[in-house]
């Protein structure tokens, strides 16, 4: 130790001399620092400019939350890199900003969504919904023209026959992508033969996008293969915020409680917009039987799964670690490498391997079981068996980690304790419960809690192995008997019809609380000093 | 050693050996089975652990080479496995480099400097580290959707998004590196600073060269963790050509399109390098892992 430090010190002395020598040549230093200052401010200005552009663009699109997020980020970046007082914070800023942007902000955003009805049916903001509805059009029944199409050298010419007047268009080059053309009143048909219906059908793509504009500015669009009709806006906006459907005459009022336009009878107009609905999502979890039942079942299974995993992996890991610590055993290196193999193989591969091996029809496990005992268990369609399979796979995946932990801790136990107990005639079981466990349980506790929290949220295992199957009967949201709370939340948010982001976020918030509590306990237990 | 030994020790040692060998046989069964299956012909073939008439058809397909069987029928590779592996490696290397650079500088500040809110930030990082990103996927999706409208290479369905998103998980690495820095005597750097070196120079020329071992560990850990990341990549990436291995591999085992044999070859091909890296580095990695409990 002494020698090492001495050598270190010499190296350092040499280094510092080198550094100070470089720094003390005056000419180089001043020129150098001028360029550096210039570079520093240039880079800062460019970055701030880019950030401000992003913020303004977001603001213009009414994405206030995101504009705010980037404003805070940019402001703190500038503060940290300009202020001399915050020098230390320059080192930690990128890491903290990364966590803030990709962990803390999404977390808060999710908690926020939990209080809204954000879902596939209420995806947009109120302004976007209004814009969407006001841009809708319908075709008039009253103003309608039968048409014929003539091909000329300059393009296609429309001949429209109406009740009061006949119109003809300037030549339109449909093939070149022209999408609008004026039409004028005339008395005589164009020369030549009109196109046949078959030729018109071949042009239907271009025709459906074409708008013909009359002298008084009215727009006509294709209504059928034989007719063009005037386009009217579907809705008219009134000063009190209500919308009237010009076609049916029904008036819809905005309902800010549920995020829909509704008529007098309560019929809703789709799409809806996102509104704050307070604690409704949480109430739904507690009161709606088609959600409460599955939620409770999944919650209990999640807890039992996490506890069982920790117990099984710890028991197996501790046993193996004890065996590997035993002086009488030879070939420890070989055993150790073989035993940690499940840990070394990437989890996403080994989980899929098990999915194939457990396959009910062609899986090797059922082939072996049938050969030996004549049984073919339904690993994926029977809830109890599916859960058993998940525990088997997760124990396989997790025991090497526990074994490695225990091996480290066992090495710290003084040997003479076992020597003394052997003198007293104690066996291995006595040793385990009276010496080993009491001594390792304290340092092991935080790691066990971390393992519990990890497995409580073991999304990858469920997503890749069963996907939650078999399904719970009578659930209104996607829910399976092997789903953990996380995969349940994921399915509510991202699977098929529902896409109920609000409900998913509410459940996610509940899980955040559980995880937060666990990690606080962990922090207390491990007595971390900073 | 003057250990007191009961007479039955010999039998117990023998029993332990037998027990462990039996256990290892069970544990290794799935892995050996996959290797065996990758050499069987067809996707539904059954057989013994040693294939009777081995075929390389799945290996051809996994390597992206069309395979022509004895019956003259040519099969095209179902998925671009090598491209997925390349995507995974590309993403993992870039994010491991970024994570290493950013967490080393942060760890330096946490280990050596005094500033307001240090303890609070360190503890909060440990707590936030535990929140699974799966739960805030809706928010992350919205975030990258917004960013992508203005910065296209960071939007949805880009590797940039996956790389940047992986920066959220730096707390663990900061703690690992900080722990190592704490164990290095700080008088060396103080001496350098007394001689006129700046803080940055003390960090760059004195502390960093002394910390190479932990930097290697953190790099490998970050690399492996990014390769194995599934939930975020599964939501952010859409196109088949852009998928990472972790997201793409499951497409082999859909009920409607069950390619068990092809999967086996692809799994061995892509899993082997990662397994070998892990086993080779295990004695360094284990120390880093016990600090956080990231797996199992």
């Amino acid at each position: 130790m002494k020698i090492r430090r001495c050598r270190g010190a010499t190296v350092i002395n040499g280094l510092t001399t080198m550094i100070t020598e470089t720094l003390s040549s005056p000419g180089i230093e001043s020129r150098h620092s001028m360029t550096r200052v210039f570079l520093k401010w240039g880079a800062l200005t460019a970055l701030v400019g880019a950030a401000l552009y992003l913020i303004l663009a977001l603001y213009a699109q009414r994405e206030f939350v995101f504009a705010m997020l980037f404003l805070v980020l940019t402001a703190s970046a500038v503060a940290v890199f300009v202020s001399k007082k915050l020098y230390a914070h320059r080192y930690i800023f990128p890491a903290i900003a990364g966590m803030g942007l990709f962990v803390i902000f999404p977390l808060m955003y999710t908690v926020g969504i939990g209080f809204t009805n954000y879902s596939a049916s209420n995806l947009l903001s109120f302004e976007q919904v209004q814009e969407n509805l006001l841009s809708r059009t319908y075709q008039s029944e009253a103003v309608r023209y039968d048409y014929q199409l003539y091909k000329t050298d300059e393009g296609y010419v429309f001949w429209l026959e109406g009740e009061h007047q006949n119109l003809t268009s300037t030549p339109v080059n449909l093939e070149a992508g022209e999408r609008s053309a004026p039409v004028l009143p005339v008395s005589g048909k164009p020369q030549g033969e009109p196109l046949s219906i078959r030729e018109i059908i071949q042009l239907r793509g271009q025709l459906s996008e074409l708008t013909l504009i009359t002298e008084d500015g009215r727009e006509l669009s294709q209504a059928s293969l034989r007719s063009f009709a005037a386009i009217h806006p579907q809705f008219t906006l009134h000063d009190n915020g209500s919308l009237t459907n010009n076609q049916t005459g029904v008036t819809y009022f905005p309902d800010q409680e549920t995020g829909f336009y509704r008529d007098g009878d309560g019929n809703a107009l789709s799409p809806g917009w996102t509104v704050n609905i307070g604690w409704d999502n949480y109430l739904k979890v507690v009161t709606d039987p088609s959600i409460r039942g599955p939620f409770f079942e999944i919650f209990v299974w999640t807890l039992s799964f996490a506890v069982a995993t920790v117990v099984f992996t710890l028991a197996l890991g501790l046993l193996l670690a004890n065996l590997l610590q035993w002086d009488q055993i030879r070939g420890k290196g070989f055993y150790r490498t073989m035993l940690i193999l499940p840990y070394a193989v990437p989890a996403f591969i080994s989980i899929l391997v098990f999915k194939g091996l457990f396959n009910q029809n062609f899986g090797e496990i059922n082939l072996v079981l049938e050969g030996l005992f004549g049984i073919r268990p339904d690993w994926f369609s029977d809830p109890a068996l599916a859960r058993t399979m998940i525990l088997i796979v997760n124990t396989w995946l997790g025991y090497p980690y526990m074994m490695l932990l225990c091996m480290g801790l066992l090495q710290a136990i003084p040997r003479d304790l076992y020597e003394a107990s052997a003198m007293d005639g104690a066996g291995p079981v006595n040793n385990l419960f009276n010496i080993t466990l009491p001594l390792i349980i304290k340092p092991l506790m935080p790691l066990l809690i971390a393992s519990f929290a990890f497995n409580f949220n073991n999304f990858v295992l469920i997503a890749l192995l069963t996907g939650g199957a078999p399904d719970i009967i009578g659930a209104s949201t996607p829910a399976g008997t092997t789903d953990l709370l996380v995969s349940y939340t994921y399915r509510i948010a991202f699977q098929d019809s529902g896409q109920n982001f609000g409900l998913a976020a509410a459940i996610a918030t509940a899980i955040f609380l559980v995880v937060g509590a666990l990690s606080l306990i962990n922090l207390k237990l491990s007595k971390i000093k900073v | 050693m003057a250990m007191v030994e009961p007479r039955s020790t010999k039998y117990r040692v023998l029993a332990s050996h037998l027990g462990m060998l039996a256990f290892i046989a069970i544990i290794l069964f799935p892995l050996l089975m996959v290797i065996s299956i990758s050499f069987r012909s067809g996707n539904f073939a059954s057989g013994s652990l040693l294939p009777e008439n081995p075929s390389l058809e799945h290996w051809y397909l996994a390597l992206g080479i069309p395979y022509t069987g004895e019956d003259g029928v040519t099969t095209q590779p179902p998925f671009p496995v090598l491209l997925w592996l390349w995507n995974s490696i590309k993403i993992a290397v870039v994010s491991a480099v970024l994570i290493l650079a950013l967490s080393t500088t942060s760890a330096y500040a946490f280990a050596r400097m005094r500033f307001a809110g240090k303890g609070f930030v360190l503890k909060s990082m440990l707590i936030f580290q535990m929140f699974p990103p799966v739960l805030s996927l809706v928010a992350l999706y919205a975030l990258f959707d917004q960013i992508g409208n203005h910065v296209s290479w960071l939007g949805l369905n880009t590797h940039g998004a996956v790389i940047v998103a992986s920066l959220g998980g730096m707390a663990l690495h900061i703690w690992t590196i900080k722990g190592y820095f704490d164990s290095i005597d700080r008088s060396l750097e103080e001496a350098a600073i007394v001689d006129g070196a700046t803080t940055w120079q003390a960090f760059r020329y004195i502390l960093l060269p002394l910390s190479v071992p932990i930097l290697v560990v953190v790099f490998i850990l970050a690399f492996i963790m990014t390769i194995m990341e599934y939930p975020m990549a599964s939501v952010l990436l859409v196109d088949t050509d852009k998928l990472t291995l972790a997201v793409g591999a499951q497409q082999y085992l859909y009920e409607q399109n069950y390619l068990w044999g092809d999967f086996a070859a692809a799994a061995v091909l892509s899993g082997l390098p990662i397994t070998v890296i892990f086993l080779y580095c295990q004695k360094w990695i284990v120390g880093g892992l016990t600090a956080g409990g990231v797996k199992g």
Side-chain angles (χ1 to χ4, degrees):
Chain A
M1 194 64 221
K2 219 175 190 177
I3 301 167
R4 244 176 84 192
R5 185 168 303 168
C6 285
R7 209 196 289 149
T10 348
V11 171
I12 302 311
N13 277 336
L15 260 178
T16 43
T17 340
M18 238 169 65
I19 294 163
T20 37
E21 270 167 7
T22 349
L23 287 178
S24 56
S25 47
I28 294 174
E29 192 197 357
S30 63
R31 216 184 318 142
H32 200 65
S33 65
M34 272 294 286
T35 345
R36 282 190 66 176
V37 167
F38 188 74
L39 266 177
K40 185 180 148 188
W41 286 100
L44 198 67
T45 324
L47 253 159
V48 169
L52 280 181
Y53 164 75
L54 182 67
I55 293 166
L56 281 176
L58 284 169
Y59 185 81
Q61 290 173 349
R62 301 211 198 84
E63 297 290 348
F64 300 123
V65 179
F66 289 98
M68 198 66 200
L69 170 72
F70 287 104
L71 187 65
V72 169
L73 263 184
T74 317
S76 43
V78 171
V80 164
F81 284 97
V82 170
S83 161
K84 279 253 160 13
K85 251 191 211 163
L86 297 176
Y87 180 77
H89 294 83
R90 285 180 207 181
Y91 286 84
I92 62 167
F93 181 77
I96 302 291
M99 278 207 92
L101 193 55
F102 301 117
V103 180
I104 300 173
F105 168 76
L107 207 131
M108 287 172 10
Y109 192 88
T110 306
V111 173
I113 294 175
F115 293 99
T116 69
N117 64 348
Y118 190 50
S119 62
S121 60
N122 296 60
L123 207 55
L124 306 171
S125 69
F126 178 59
E127 291 81 8
Q128 286 169 320
V129 168
Q130 213 173 47
E131 228 167 81
N132 176 305
L133 291 174
L134 288 177
S135 70
R136 289 191 191 177
T137 54
Y138 73 101
Q139 282 178 323
S140 159
E141 288 298 318
V143 186
R144 206 169 251 273
Y145 297 90
D146 290 335
Y147 78 96
Q148 283 176 328
L149 199 53
Y150 293 85
K151 192 164 185 179
T152 67
D153 290 342
E154 295 101 75
Y156 294 91
V157 173
F158 287 83
W159 166 252
L160 303 177
E161 269 177 25
E163 275 175 44
H164 310 293
Q165 59 176 358
N166 297 334
L167 305 167
T168 187
S169 76
T170 56
V172 192
N173 198 344
L174 282 177
E175 273 94 2
E178 268 188 75
R179 290 290 171 263
S180 73
V183 283
L184 297 165
V186 282
S187 49
K189 273 193 179 187
Q191 299 293 314
E193 275 297 300
L195 294 187
S196 69
I197 195 79
R198 248 181 69 194
E199 288 164 297
I200 287 181
I201 289 175
Q202 278 169 0
L203 288 170
R204 68 182 184 282
Q206 289 99 318
L207 286 174
S208 67
E209 288 171 25
L210 185 77
T211 310
L212 299 176
I213 303 159
T214 61
E215 271 182 314
D216 49 356
R218 184 174 277 174
E219 294 184 350
L220 308 174
S221 72
Q222 196 191 25
S224 72
L225 280 176
R226 297 234 177 249
S227 64
F228 265 70
I231 316 168
H232 296 298
Q234 182 93 51
F235 293 99
T236 310
L237 180 65
H238 302 294
D239 287 341
N240 64 356
S242 62
L243 290 177
T244 301
N245 188 332
N246 296 323
Q247 204 172 358
T248 60
V250 181
T251 302
Y252 295 85
F253 292 92
D255 178 0
Q256 296 292 354
E257 298 277 303
T258 57
F260 282 105
Y261 273 106
R262 289 179 190 282
D263 64 5
D265 302 332
N267 297 320
L269 208 57
S270 192
W273 61 92
T274 311
V275 291
N276 203 328
I277 53 165
W279 295 89
D280 278 11
N281 284 324
Y282 295 89
L283 287 177
K284 225 189 270 174
V285 173
V286 185
T287 54
D288 185 343
S290 68
I291 296 178
R292 183 181 56 195
F295 177 83
F296 189 69
E297 187 180 339
I298 289 170
F299 181 69
V300 171
W301 157 241
T302 307
L303 272 185
S304 1
F305 163 78
V307 170
T309 300
V310 172
V311 171
F312 291 160
T313 53
L314 177 67
L316 204 53
L318 187 60
L319 176 74
L320 292 168
N322 263 311
L323 285 176
L324 285 183
Q325 281 315 96
W326 199 10
D327 297 319
Q328 313 282 335
I329 297 283
R330 314 235 160 224
K332 281 187 186 138
F334 165 78
Y335 283 127
R336 192 184 137 109
T337 311
M338 287 295 122
L339 287 171
I340 64 166
L341 254 181
Y343 194 50
V345 179
F348 68 87
I349 286 180
S350 33
I351 293 170
L352 288 173
V353 166
F354 275 107
K355 183 179 176 173
L357 289 177
F358 273 106
N359 188 297
Q360 286 165 207
N361 301 318
F362 343 97
E364 272 65 20
I365 288 178
N366 270 8
L367 289 182
V368 170
L369 287 179
E370 193 172 32
L372 290 178
F373 309 107
I375 49 169
R376 294 182 77 89
D378 301 328
W379 296 109
F380 287 91
S381 43
D382 182 88
L385 281 173
R387 288 174 174 175
T388 314
M389 170 182 73
I390 284 176
L391 282 174
I392 292 174
V393 174
N394 208 28
T395 309
W396 187 91
L397 287 168
Y399 84 85
Y401 174 65
M402 287 294 177
M403 185 185 88
L404 290 169
L405 287 185
C406 292
M407 280 168 68
L409 292 171
L410 287 178
Q411 261 159 9
I413 300 177
R415 281 305 162 87
D416 37 351
L417 286 178
Y418 294 108
E419 190 88 357
S421 82
M423 297 272 258
D424 290 344
V429 178
N430 263 328
N431 281 345
L432 176 69
F433 284 103
N434 293 323
I435 304 175
T436 316
L437 270 184
L439 279 174
I440 65 167
I441 199 70
K442 223 175 148 194
L444 203 53
M445 211 55 208
L447 297 162
L448 292 184
I449 295 178
S451 170
F452 176 87
F454 175 85
N455 282 299
F456 193 88
N457 296 312
N458 199 336
F459 172 75
V460 178
L461 176 72
I462 304 298
L464 292 184
L465 192 56
T466 64
D471 281 343
I472 294 177
I473 298 154
S476 62
T477 56
T481 40
T482 58
D483 261 326
L484 300 179
L485 280 176
V486 261
S487 58
Y488 177 55
T489 314
Y490 178 89
R491 289 174 68 181
I492 293 177
F494 292 106
Q495 214 179 44
D496 52 66
S497 55
Q499 301 231 329
N500 195 337
F501 302 118
L503 182 63
I507 298 175
T509 307
I511 305 177
F512 285 147
L513 290 178
V514 173
V515 174
L518 279 174
S519 41
L520 273 178
I521 296 173
N522 221 357
L523 207 61
K524 281 269 175 316
L525 274 180
S526 47
K527 295 200 186 77
I528 284 169
K529 281 188 222 105
V530 286
Chain B
M1 192 189 289
M3 189 86 178
V4 185
E5 281 171 9
R7 205 175 278 174
S8 60
T9 305
K10 217 168 84 185
Y11 299 106
R12 278 206 254 155
V13 171
L14 192 67
S16 307
H17 275 293
L18 288 177
M20 277 208 280
L21 285 175
F23 182 75
I24 288 173
I26 296 174
I27 288 300
L28 294 189
F29 168 74
L31 301 178
L32 296 176
M33 208 65 210
V34 170
I35 298 176
S36 151
I37 289 163
S38 74
F39 289 106
R40 285 180 193 164
S41 60
N43 278 312
F44 301 100
S46 57
S48 60
L49 201 54
L50 283 174
E52 287 97 20
N53 36 8
S55 135
L56 284 176
E57 99 179 63
H58 303 306
W59 281 89
Y60 272 101
L61 296 179
L63 290 167
I65 309 163
Y67 177 81
T68 310
E70 281 162 25
D71 49 358
V73 179
T74 305
T75 322
Q76 290 299 321
F79 301 110
V81 186
L82 288 180
L83 184 65
W84 288 345
L85 186 62
W86 168 237
N87 286 344
S88 282
I89 291 174
K90 201 167 60 180
I91 291 174
V93 166
V94 177
S95 46
V97 167
L98 284 176
I99 286 175
L100 187 65
L102 296 181
S103 49
T104 311
T105 45
S106 314
Y108 175 65
F110 282 122
R112 291 292 192 264
M113 296 178 184
R114 289 157 162 271
F115 53 89
K118 181 166 128 180
F120 174 75
V121 173
L122 269 174
K123 280 188 183 172
S124 327
M125 283 198 320
L126 261 199
I127 292 176
F128 281 114
Q129 175 72 34
M130 306 262 283
F131 293 103
V134 194
L135 292 173
S136 25
L137 277 180
V138 176
L140 282 166
Y141 187 88
L143 180 65
F144 282 106
D145 191 21
Q146 289 300 330
I147 298 178
N149 286 339
H150 307 284
V151 191
S152 57
W153 52 275
L154 274 182
L156 295 173
N157 202 16
T158 62
H159 291 160
V162 181
I163 291 170
V164 172
S166 72
L167 296 183
M170 266 190 299
L172 175 80
H173 305 302
I174 294 178
W175 269 91
T176 313
I177 302 176
K178 177 192 170 283
Y180 192 86
F181 284 172
D182 283 339
S183 71
I184 295 178
D185 194 346
R186 66 169 73 190
S187 58
L188 302 178
E189 295 144 66
E190 278 162 9
I193 289 173
V194 168
D195 285 352
T198 63
T199 323
W200 173 257
Q201 285 165 332
F203 165 63
R204 169 71 188 81
Y205 295 103
I206 295 164
L207 193 57
L208 272 194
L210 290 173
S211 317
V212 171
I214 197 69
L215 300 184
V216 173
V217 170
V218 166
F219 181 84
I220 294 167
L221 267 182
F223 179 83
I224 290 180
M225 281 164 75
T226 320
I227 287 241
M228 306 222 272
E229 203 286 328
Y230 170 77
M232 273 198 289
S234 78
V235 169
L236 291 179
L237 300 176
V238 184
D239 294 348
T240 306
D241 287 349
K242 293 202 169 152
L243 296 187
T244 61
L245 199 59
V247 181
Q250 59 167 328
Q251 300 199 353
Y252 279 103
L253 297 184
Y254 283 142
E255 288 292 330
Q256 306 83 351
N257 188 18
Y258 192 76
L259 303 172
W260 186 213
D262 294 340
F263 167 76
V268 177
L269 176 71
S270 50
L272 207 60
I274 304 171
T275 310
V276 169
I277 294 178
F278 190 96
L279 282 180
Y280 181 73
C281 308
Q282 47 130 334
K283 60 173 178 259
W284 303 297
I285 291 174
V286 169
L289 281 177
T290 45
V294 281
K295 199 183 161 189

